Amino acid sequence: QVQLKESGPGLVQPSRTLSLTCTVSGFSLTSYGVNWVRQPPGKGLEWIAAIWSGGSTDYNSALKSRLSISRDTSKSQVLLKMNSLQTEDTAMYFCARSPLTGDYFDYWGQGVMVTVSS
Amino acid sequence: DIQMTQSPASLSASLGETVTIECRASEDIYNGLAWYQQKPGKSPQLLIYNANSLHTGVPSRFSGSGSGTQYSLKINSLQSEDVASYFCQQYYDYWTFGGGTKLELK
């Protein structure tokens, strides 16, 4: 069955770089797109970035200068890097799949909590 | 960027009641609209896509409607398991979410 699982450091110091991994199973990264979405505690959802089946990428314009998304198809992993972290980047980070039929998100991972603090 | 305005921000309803949540886009999104349900401590789950298509496995008491800039999610015969937050999302031009609606039991 389709599964996505996020992993990451949990705690990151301000100004440092965050590296997150989304490991997928039950589908191929060469056939489906994968997105990153974040949610600060008690707040709403914000789309961050996407990588598509052909390898092309899209970024949230407000965060673009700080982001890099890539993938390792041999490991079924999507990687997100965000630099210059600030306390306002504290959030739950989710990865989510886009289906073949549209750009919505049909399956989500459980999320990984990232706290930015010294 | 397309802005999504969702209302109400919170809602209290009784079991068996019909509930409606609204979402307004800042410009026409041509039915590129999805609805998600998020229970506390869990990830969002897709309910509706393309404004009115029910995702696999979602109970038929959930329905979506609308066009242009105005969309709504309706829950018929509210059940206890429907207590959650609900978010709309436009995917016509990149991706933005509404602010969410927290649904509680009265």
Side-chain angles (χ1 to χ4, degrees), chain A residues 35 37 39 43-47 52 58-59 61 94 103-106 108-110, chain B residues 1 34 36 38 42-46 49-50 55 87 89 91 94-95 97-99:
Chain A
N35 302 263
V37 176
Q39 184 174 37
K43 296 190 177 181
L45 299 162
E46 179 181 36
W47 172 78
W52 302 108
D58 284 306
Y59 295 101
S61 58
F94 300 98
D103 290 339
Y104 49 92
F105 306 158
D106 63 349
W108 295 63
Q110 63 190 18
Chain B
D1 293 6
Y36 299 89
Q38 186 179 31
K42 301 293 187 181
S43 58
Q45 300 295 305
L46 177 66
Y49 62 96
N50 294 348
H55 183 53
F87 295 90
Q89 177 206 38
Y91 49 91
Y94 284 80
W95 299 264
F97 293 89

Side-chain angles (χ1 to χ4, degrees), chain A residues 55-76:
Chain A
S56 62
T57 58
D58 284 306
Y59 295 101
N60 183 314
S61 58
L63 302 169
K64 186 174 184 177
S65 63
R66 301 168 53 206
L67 294 173
S68 173
I69 188 170
S70 61
R71 67 184 184 182
D72 185 334
T73 55
S74 67
K75 295 181 179 179
S76 294

Side-chain angles (χ1 to χ4, degrees), chain B residues 2 16 32-33 36 44-45 47 49 52 62-63 80-81 89 95:
Chain B
I2 297 177
L33 192 284
Y36 299 89
Q45 300 295 305
L47 297 173
Y49 62 96
N52 56 26
F62 291 92
S63 64
S80 57
E81 60 263 33
Q89 177 206 38
W95 299 264

Side-chain angles (χ1 to χ4, degrees), chain B residues 6-47:
Chain B
Q6 190 173 334
S7 61
S10 63
L11 181 56
S12 181
S14 303
L15 291 174
E17 195 173 329
T18 295
V19 168
T20 300
I21 299 169
E22 307 279 350
C23 206
R24 184 181 78 250
S26 58
E27 61 185 84
D28 196 328
I29 56 172
Y30 299 94
N31 282 15
L33 192 284
W35 291 97
Y36 299 89
Q37 177 192 66
Q38 186 179 31
K39 297 184 178 180
K42 301 293 187 181
S43 58
Q45 300 295 305
L46 177 66
L47 297 173

